[in-house]
Structures are given as structure tokens and as C-alpha cells.
Amino acid sequence: MSRAEVERTFAALPPVGGRGFAATWWGRAWLKALEDTALDGEQLRRGRKQAREGAVGAVCVRPGRVTGVVRDRDRTPYRSDVLLREFTEAEWDRLLEVVADRSGHIAALLDRDMPPQLAEDAAAVGVELLPGIGDLEPECGCEAWDHCPHTAALCYQLARLLDEDPYLLLLMRGRGERELLDELQVRSAARAAPHLPQAAEDASPPAPEGVPAREAFAAPGPPPLPAPPPAVAAPGRPPAPAGGTDPAEGLDVAALEFLAADAAVRAQRLLAEALSPGHASSPIPAALTVWQDTVRLTAAGPPAPIAARLAAGCGRDRADLTRAVRAWEHGGAAALTVLEEEWVPDAAALARARVQLAAAWEEDEQAPELRAAGNRWTVVGADLQVRYGRDGRWWPYRKERGRWWPAGPAGHDPAAALAMPGATRTGKGMILSEQRPVMDA
């Protein structure tokens, strides 16, 4: 598939309140390019309001262009595009060399982060990664010659998407995530090749004979490791006989096949992570507890009999397991911890949380009344809550039949968390819509 055919489409985002659309530095840089380029601040204000009200439909991002349909107050739709120049092959070559030279840059991109040093290093070789004044070119069905409310609304909406995935900026510059990571892996392997042992061309390598201990201790360091195994495109299917339980052995074949398939998926993921540059300096993740692994396995979607066995053996009721699985789907072990742990932030963390809450709503908006208990802020008179995680992110929760259920992934904006599906916002506060729970609590 050529780069011109690469594109990603995102469903319409829900309405959102708050003062800032971007929480990351690169998201704010995108909006600064828009605000520095547009000639009419009133058009930007109207576009920002339309984006907050959910007027932007699905957004399509592809090399050189982002496209969306924006509806006016009278529901008239306008196709809007914002163009950004793609990098030349020479620019991509310089940028990839910069990234490959620093394992920290690659590790950050794998974590969907973009360190400011990466943009500075790119600029040093003549590649302006982030857009600047005049770089965001508008095209709209309303035929405005400058940024209109529709293209402005599209840019504000895209800032929310960029916060979650900086690869979208690189996609607009011309390279998709998979292509980019593949090229970085090739360049990293080429850098490592001169340091790997070379086999003789005309004979198999002789068996190692060892060296005297005096020489080994005098050596400057350990010998180079052998070449890593090649990456695996996808986990394989484990072999398993047909049938259910072997009466002679008491072996549940279906359960064994599910566990083997799960092990293959995890092994493929671990191998991909191990082959990524910078992996050696990455922290070792904590081992899962039995309960966390039960939730993870249940979230993987096992056959019904195996899911029933997991539910029966976990020591929790079915509603607890269902809530835990929903949390896991929104953020893995971190989300499960937020579901089950209630803690009291220290003075510094509490001050940061209060600053974020105070800045989350526009001056002309009526902020909801919140009641705090530990790390949980509940909207008074509504079935909505946000929980403050130890990493400074906000997790949305919704009460369903008397119990609090995870309602979405974490974010840095508490107002956006409160505006997850199931609640819409207006300029005068919050209007709730009913939503039936997935399962009875």
C-alpha cells in the first residue's frame, strides 16, 4: 500500500467543556499555528464553540490533509479540509536519522509521546516537525478564503485527537505509524550490524574453545550478544486436538487451546517490544496479580464455558468481574487500580487537581457542583464522577443502577472526562441523557 493510500478515520467526538482543547505541548503547538495563521479571531471563537458543541463529524487523517464534515447551527453540513505540507524524501531521511540516533526518541514514540527535544533535534537538521504560521491551509465548502468557523472547528477537534496520538501529525507529514516504525527498525538494525559477530563465509563457525580466566577478567567488557531473532508479524495458532475434555486425563482441551493462544499473543507482543530500540532502558512492568490476570483473560473474550470458569474461580461476584473487565478495556492494570483503590492525594497532588478543575470550564460556562471524597469528585445531583489517578490523569465514571462503572479512558482534562458518552454539555452547564447499563449490578 502506498503512502497516499494510508488514512485513519475517527468517529465524531462527544461535546466537551473546558478552556483548553489541547493538553499536550504538541497539541497546543498545532492550535498556536492555527491561531497565528487565521486573520479573524471571531471566526476562531465561533469554530471553537462549534467544536465544543459536537458539530464536527467523523474526522479522516491522511498524508497532507485532514477532512471532516462540520454542521452549522441550522444543521447545514460543510465539508472542511485543512492541508499540511508533506515532507520530501530528503526531509524524511534526515528526520529518521535523528530519531534513530537517540533511543529515547524511539521509546517515547512507542509510548505515544513526543518529547520537545525530538522537535528541536529535527529543526537542527532543517526539518520543522510542527506546523508554524501559514502552514495550515484551509479549504471549505462555504468557500471562505481564510480560516472559517468550520475549518477552525476541525482544527480544534484534531487537537484532541493529537493529544492521544502524536503519530497523526507524522501521518499528515506523509508516513503512517507502521511504515515509520518499520523504517526505524531497519535503521537501528543497520547501526547494530557492525557490532555483531560475523560468521565465516566458507565454513560453519567453530565451537567456542574458551579463554584463560586472566584474559577474561582483563577484557574491557562482555562480548557482544548474538543477533536478535526476527520480528513476528502475528501470533500463530497453537496446535490442539479436536474435542472437549479428555476423560482419561481430565484435560480441558478448549481451555488449554485458549491459554496457548493467549500465550502466543503475549509472546508476539513481548518480542516486538524487545526488538524496539530503547527497550533495554525501559522499566520492567510489575507482574500481574492472580486477580488482575483473571480480569485480563476474561477481557480477551474466551469461549463462554471458559469465561464461566474464570468467573466462578475468581472469588468475586459476576458484577465485580464485569466492572473490572470494563475498566481493563479502558486502560489495563492502571484502570483496574483506579476502579478498586480509593486514596487521599497529598497536598501537592491535591493542589494540582484543584488547579485543573478550576481551569476546566470556560468563563461563560457554569461549572457543575462537585463533591470531593478522597481522589473522587462526584457531580452533585448527577450520576457522573471523575477519579484522579496517581499519574495525574482523570478517569470518567457513571453510576448505573446504584454502582459506579468505568465510562471511558483516562485524560488530562476533567471536563472532557465528564463529557464522555452519556452526557452532553451546553453553555449553561450539563444536561444528562439516560444510558442503560451493560449488565445489572
Side-chain angles (χ1 to χ4, degrees):
M1 181 178 291
S2 67
R3 288 203 305 274
E5 296 171 325
V6 174
E7 66 178 41
R8 294 181 62 186
T9 301
F10 300 85
L13 297 176
V16 63
R19 296 180 182 177
F21 264 86
T24 60
W25 73 270
W26 59 86
R28 291 192 293 269
W30 168 269
L31 291 183
K32 186 177 188 304
L34 166 69
E35 292 161 359
D36 288 347
T37 299
L39 301 177
D40 189 343
E42 175 62 20
Q43 303 298 319
L44 293 185
R45 189 192 67 79
R46 290 171 55 193
R48 188 164 55 245
K49 186 174 181 61
Q50 284 184 276
R52 290 197 191 285
E53 294 174 347
V56 182
V59 175
C60 176
V61 183
R62 57 190 183 277
R65 182 182 297 263
V66 55
T67 303
V69 174
V70 183
R71 293 184 180 274
D72 272 342
R73 284 289 184 87
D74 62 2
R75 308 302 295 167
T76 302
Y78 292 95
R79 169 177 167 152
S80 300
D81 295 79
V82 175
L83 282 61
L84 180 65
R85 184 183 68 84
E86 295 182 55
F87 288 153
T88 65
E89 290 296 326
E91 288 174 314
W92 271 114
D93 184 66
R94 295 199 298 274
L95 176 61
L96 289 168
E97 285 297 303
V98 163
V99 177
D101 276 340
R102 288 178 176 258
S103 61
H105 289 343
I106 301 176
L109 287 175
L110 289 172
D111 288 337
R112 278 177 161 64
D113 187 16
M114 185 183 293
Q117 186 63 42
L118 171 56
E120 295 173 8
D121 291 345
V125 296
V127 180
E128 295 297 336
L129 185 58
L130 295 161
I133 184 171
D135 288 345
L136 302 182
E137 181 180 346
E139 289 183 358
C140 187
C142 73
E143 299 184 353
W145 61 274
D146 187 28
H147 276 286
C148 61
H150 313 115
T151 58
L154 179 60
C155 284
Y156 281 110
Q157 200 76 314
L158 185 66
R160 295 173 65 186
L161 298 174
L162 284 172
D163 268 358
E164 301 299 324
D165 192 351
Y167 283 105
L168 296 180
L169 180 60
L170 297 168
L171 175 57
M172 283 185 281
R173 289 301 196 182
R175 300 282 174 97
E177 176 182 352
R178 186 68 266 158
E179 180 184 7
L180 179 65
L181 293 178
D182 287 345
E183 291 191 22
L184 286 174
Q185 184 173 344
V186 170
R187 290 172 188 254
S188 298
R191 281 169 165 73
H195 305 288
L196 297 176
Q198 301 294 322
E201 296 182 358
D202 55 351
S204 59
E209 298 179 355
V211 296
R214 181 182 295 112
E215 293 182 20
F217 282 111
L225 295 174
V232 178
R237 292 281 303 171
T245 301
D246 185 334
E249 301 292 339
L251 179 64
D252 188 336
V253 175
L256 180 61
E257 185 176 7
F258 169 70
L259 291 174
D262 175 72
V265 170
R266 297 181 70 190
Q268 189 264 345
R269 184 182 301 121
L270 289 171
L271 177 59
E273 293 173 355
L275 294 176
S276 63
H279 174 73
S281 59
S282 301
I284 299 176
L288 298 181
T289 65
V290 173
W291 165 242
Q292 289 173 329
D293 205 41
T294 301
V295 175
R296 182 190 67 80
L297 287 169
T298 307
I306 300 172
R309 287 182 59 186
L310 288 168
C314 69
R316 309 281 188 101
D317 64 41
R318 193 170 186 85
D320 278 346
L321 180 58
T322 304
R323 287 201 310 157
V325 168
R326 188 190 293 186
W328 190 275
E329 290 170 345
H330 288 315
L336 184 57
T337 299
V338 171
L339 170 68
E340 300 186 321
E341 179 186 54
E342 185 171 2
W343 58 286
V344 178
D346 59 28
L350 189 60
R352 287 193 297 269
R354 286 173 174 166
V355 168
Q356 289 180 343
L357 286 167
W361 283 270
E362 293 277 10
E363 294 179 359
D364 60 349
E365 287 186 304
Q366 178 182 340
E369 182 182 354
L370 299 174
R371 182 179 64 250
N375 66 319
R376 302 175 182 184
W377 276 262
T378 304
V379 179
V380 175
D383 292 336
L384 292 174
Q385 182 185 87
V386 285
R387 299 186 178 184
Y388 188 65
R390 293 185 183 273
D391 60 357
R393 295 185 298 167
W394 297 90
W395 298 80
Y397 273 72
R398 180 177 179 82
K399 183 172 285 189
E400 300 177 3
R401 298 190 182 180
R403 304 183 74 176
W404 288 107
W405 288 71
H412 294 281
D413 182 0
L418 285 174
M420 293 300 294
T424 57
R425 298 186 56 82
T426 68
K428 295 186 178 181
M430 185 174 296
I431 298 176
L432 302 179
S433 60
E434 293 190 9
Q435 177 181 359
R436 296 186 62 84
V438 176
M439 287 187 63
D440 292 346

